[in-house]
Amino acid sequence: MKKFLVLYLAPVSVIEEWMKKPPEERKAEEDKMKSEWDIWMKEHATSVKETAGAGKTKRVTKEGASDTKNDIMLFSLVEAESPEAVAKMFENHPHLDIPQASIEVMPVNYLPG
């Protein structure tokens, strides 16, 4: 089995707009997505080895570190035979119900040494 990094993306502007909704409306949407997510995760538990949220972002350059924002919400580490198999696995993932959301799949290439 090969390892893959899976990134769950959603535009910052979409999330910021969503946060403006009334709390009870957001909670209902969150509960629905969590329920669908839990079902999806159970179906793919043998392949998805780890999933975690991405926190506040720091950009580091030669000039130093600064706060920034990006579209990465979460990541997973997944084991599968190919990137195509991982992509197929995520075709109907609940994350894609977020407007303009996407999921990116890339192989993990370990560095020598």
Side-chain angles (χ1 to χ4, degrees):
M1 285 291 184
K2 298 174 183 165
K3 292 188 180 180
F4 297 88
L5 176 64
V6 176
L7 298 177
Y8 304 79
L9 306 161
V12 171
S13 60
V14 170
I15 302 306
E16 288 173 344
E17 196 61 35
W18 181 78
M19 291 299 291
K20 294 177 185 175
K21 290 183 177 186
E24 60 277 358
E25 187 178 336
R26 282 198 329 260
K27 177 154 179 25
E29 291 177 11
E30 287 171 355
D31 290 348
K32 179 182 180 293
M33 182 173 283
K34 183 179 181 335
S35 173
E36 292 169 354
W37 187 293
D38 289 346
I39 291 167
W40 189 94
M41 286 297 287
K42 283 180 188 172
E43 292 172 357
H44 299 92
T46 58
S47 297
V48 179
K49 302 304 179 186
E50 180 179 354
T51 298
K56 294 188 183 226
T57 306
K58 292 279 187 190
R59 176 168 298 171
V60 181
T61 66
K62 288 186 178 202
E63 289 75 36
S66 61
D67 293 335
T68 191
K69 291 183 179 183
N70 63 38
D71 294 348
I72 301 170
M73 295 182 67
L74 304 131
F75 74 90
S76 289
L77 294 174
V78 176
E79 287 185 354
E81 291 298 323
S82 68
E84 293 79 16
V86 179
K88 183 157 186 58
M89 181 187 322
F90 281 86
E91 282 178 352
N92 295 309
H93 193 280
H95 175 76
L96 298 174
D97 289 338
I98 298 170
Q100 301 176 47
S102 62
I103 295 173
E104 294 185 4
V105 175
M106 59 201 87
V108 173
N109 297 317
Y110 290 98
L111 301 176

